């Protein structure tokens, strides 16, 4: 019953969203903020068929892995899940979850999973931070959404934000305060997000808002320049909903309007809207592992589906091999083509469109591939993509995923089509959150 209090509940595991899992009278109990090893009191907030959700009321006996949160915003902020768990325990939790999911859903054999590649730095690792702008009565807010709500909370001390971003954060906040009366209308704030990205070439700030032009652009430009931003862009997004970017125009206020970065010895261009892994050190380890799995020989062909700005494909074929990439986002395809030029690879071809649809067309045209690499968004590959991947009959498939549940589901489908999961490595790109990347190798069952 909702409101019912459960006492002495032992937390035995963690769910995909990080909530603690306990068992009570044959029911699974999900408790956000509770950690594996805690014994707690909780109150049921929602009942479902075979499970309930509950809120943490008190900790009777804390998990030995519990720590004091380092971030002053932790209990309010919805950004981090694991500020109260030691990082070693967090990494182990992720390793176990990936292993169990791949075995249970993906049909992987025991022993397929390598030890997790955990991060050396669990703070300040994000090279991309998207800060929401909120209009509260006591002034503007700049930061993350509150836990379980859309309310924006002010997070100047965010632990995941690297220190180079702080001066720009503060300069922008001053601008928000100065023009609060004008920018804050009855409908809410006119500006929606501040996106900060850092790379080798410096820091890029992108403001997202409703008006066609950035209000007081020149004043903001000189403040952000002084705070260390090398380029400033303005993106008009009038589309309702939570997406930061929309189809609207992107204008460069000053600087290049993009950043450049070096990853696995190659140089990449990153535009404000394009996907680029948020954790540089861990992305290199992920792609290095992918390169070992792909083991592309000279003269072999690699098809890179969901290729983003071309990073994986260009890195995997950097010692030889032909590259064909497919990507849905026009700005990422544009970056991918520029990146191929930068890497001295004008032979690489990139197609804009849906991965499954374009791959099917390539197959019809008689294109062949020795190795396929896929790195889809969280929802994984659709059936057309899965069937087409197998129809190419590649020697190896390297599947990179940010959600081990959809990877496991797709691995099970590929198993029916003749591919077995041979190796997988979890790489923690997102310390303090429940997310984790996995790179896996699937080979033809006969080999
Ligand atoms: N491999 C890249 C990007 C991975 S993120 C890298 O590591 O940098 C997933 C990418 O898939 C994003 O760039 C997104 O724009 C793209 N994407 C999403 N849906 C897609 C679809 N249906 N077809 C092709 N690409 C898609």
């Amino acid at each position: 019953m909702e409101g019912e209090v459960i006492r002495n509940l032992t937390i035995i595991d963690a769910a995909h969203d990080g909530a603690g899992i306990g068992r009570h009278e044959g029911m699974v109990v999900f408790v956000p903020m509770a950690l594996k090893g805690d014994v707690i009191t909780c109150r049921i907030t929602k009942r479902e068929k075979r499970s309930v959700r509950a809120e943490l009321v008190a900790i009777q006996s804390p998990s030995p892995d519990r720590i004091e949160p380092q971030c002053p915003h932790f209990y309010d902020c919805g950004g981090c899940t694991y500020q109260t768990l030691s990082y070693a325990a967090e990494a182990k939790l992720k390793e176990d979850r990936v292993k169990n999911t791949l075995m249970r859903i993906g049909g992987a054999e025991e022993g397929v999973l390598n030890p997790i590649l955990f991060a050396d730095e669990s703070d300040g690792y994000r090279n991309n931070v998207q800060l929401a702008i909120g209009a509260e009565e006591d002034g503007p807010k700049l930061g993350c959404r509150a836990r379980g709500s859309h309310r924006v909370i002010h997070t100047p001390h965010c632990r995941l934000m690297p220190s180079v971003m702080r001066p720009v954060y503060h300069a922008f906040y001053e601008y928000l305060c100065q023009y609060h009366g004008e920018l804050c209308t009855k409908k809410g704030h006119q500006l929606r997000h501040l996106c900060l990205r850092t790379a080798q070439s410096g820091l890029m700030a992108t403001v997202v808002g409703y008006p066609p032009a950035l209000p007081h652009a020149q004043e903001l430009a000189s403040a952000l320049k002084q705070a260390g931003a090398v380029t400033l862009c303005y993106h008009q997004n009038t589309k309702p909903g939570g997406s930061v970017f929309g189809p609207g125009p992107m204008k460069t206020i000053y600087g290049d309007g993009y950043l450049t970065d070096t990853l696995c010895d190659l140089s990449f261009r990153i535009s404000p809207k394009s996907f680029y892994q948020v954790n540089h050190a861990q992305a290199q380890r992920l792609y290095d592992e992918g390169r070992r799995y792909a083991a592309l020989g000279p003269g072999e062909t690699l098809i890179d589906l969901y290729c983003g700005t071309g990073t994986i494909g260009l890195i995997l074929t950097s010692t030889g091999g032909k590259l064909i990439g497919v990507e849905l986002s026009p700005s990422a395809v544009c970056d991918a083509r520029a990146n191929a030029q930068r890497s001295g690879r004008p032979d690489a071809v990139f197609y804009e469109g849906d991965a499954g649809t374009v791959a099917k067309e390539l197959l019809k045209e008689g294109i062949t591939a020795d190795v396929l690499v896929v790195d889809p968004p969280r929802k994984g590959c659709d059936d057309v993509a899965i069937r087409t991947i197998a129809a190419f009959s590649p020697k190896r498939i390297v599947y990179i995923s940010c959600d081990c549940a959809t990877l496991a589901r797709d691995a099970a489908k590929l198993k029916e089509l003749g591919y077995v999961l041979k190796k997988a490595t979890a790489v923690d790109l997102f310390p303090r959150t429940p997310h984790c990347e996995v790179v896996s190798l699937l080979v033809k069952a006969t080999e």
Side-chain angles (χ1 to χ4, degrees), residues 124-176:
Y125 64 81
R126 286 196 70 101
N127 62 27
N128 183 355
V129 172
Q130 296 181 331
L131 300 151
I133 297 167
E136 297 291 323
E137 270 173 20
D138 59 344
K141 305 281 177 233
L142 180 62
C144 292
R145 306 272 171 195
R147 209 173 277 285
S149 142
H150 287 299
R151 185 170 53 88
V152 178
I153 58 164
H154 202 52
T155 54
H157 306 292
C158 171
R159 302 280 298 180
L160 303 191
M161 183 162 80
S163 53
V164 290
M165 287 183 183
R166 288 190 206 284
V168 179
Y169 176 100
H170 290 297
F172 184 77
Y173 185 63
E174 261 179 42
Y175 154 87
L176 278 186

Side-chain angles (χ1 to χ4, degrees), residues 28 54 73 79 91 97 140 143 145 157 160 181 209 214 251 300 306 324 378 383 391 441:
V28 177
H73 310 302
R97 197 181 68 216
R145 306 272 171 195
H157 306 292
L160 303 191
L214 175 63
K251 273 187 219 154
E300 289 193 318
Y306 314 88
I324 301 168
R378 218 163 272 173
D383 281 338
L441 171 68

Side-chain angles (χ1 to χ4, degrees), residues 81-97:
T81 305
Y82 292 134
Q83 283 282 339
T84 47
L85 182 65
S86 78
Y87 181 58
E90 178 191 328
K92 180 75 177 74
L93 203 71
K94 289 178 180 178
E95 181 179 288
D96 289 348
R97 197 181 68 216

Side-chain angles (χ1 to χ4, degrees), residues 107-118:
E109 304 274 335
E110 170 105 58
V112 155
L113 195 74
N114 292 317
I116 188 168
L117 299 178
F118 58 85

Side-chain angles (χ1 to χ4, degrees), residues 274-277 286-287 304-312 326-329 332 353-356 375-377 379 382:
S274 299
F275 176 89
Y276 192 69
Q277 289 288 8
L286 177 77
Y287 294 164
D304 178 2
L305 299 182
Y306 314 88
C307 69
T309 55
T311 41
I312 295 179
V326 183
E327 162 64 41
L328 193 62
S329 149
D354 168 63
D375 182 12
K379 65 175 191 252
D382 63 18

Side-chain angles (χ1 to χ4, degrees), residues 228-283:
V230 296
T231 182
L232 170 65
C233 301
Y234 178 69
H235 172 55
Q236 185 190 23
N237 184 9
T238 52
K239 244 186 136 173
S243 293
V244 175
F245 297 113
M250 178 75 74
K251 273 187 219 154
T252 302
I253 311 286
Y254 73 81
D256 293 333
Y258 61 85
L259 294 177
T260 57
D261 202 27
T262 302
L263 194 70
C264 297
D265 298 325
L266 292 185
S267 169
F268 294 102
R269 186 181 96 167
I270 313 153
S271 301
K273 285 193 201 178
S274 299
F275 176 89
Y276 192 69
Q277 289 288 8
V278 301
N279 185 330
H280 187 270
Q282 289 296 90

Side-chain angles (χ1 to χ4, degrees), residues 283-295:
Q284 297 214 113
R285 302 175 80 188
L286 177 77
Y287 294 164
D288 273 342
E289 194 77 348
R291 179 152 54 182
R292 274 193 287 279
Y293 287 0

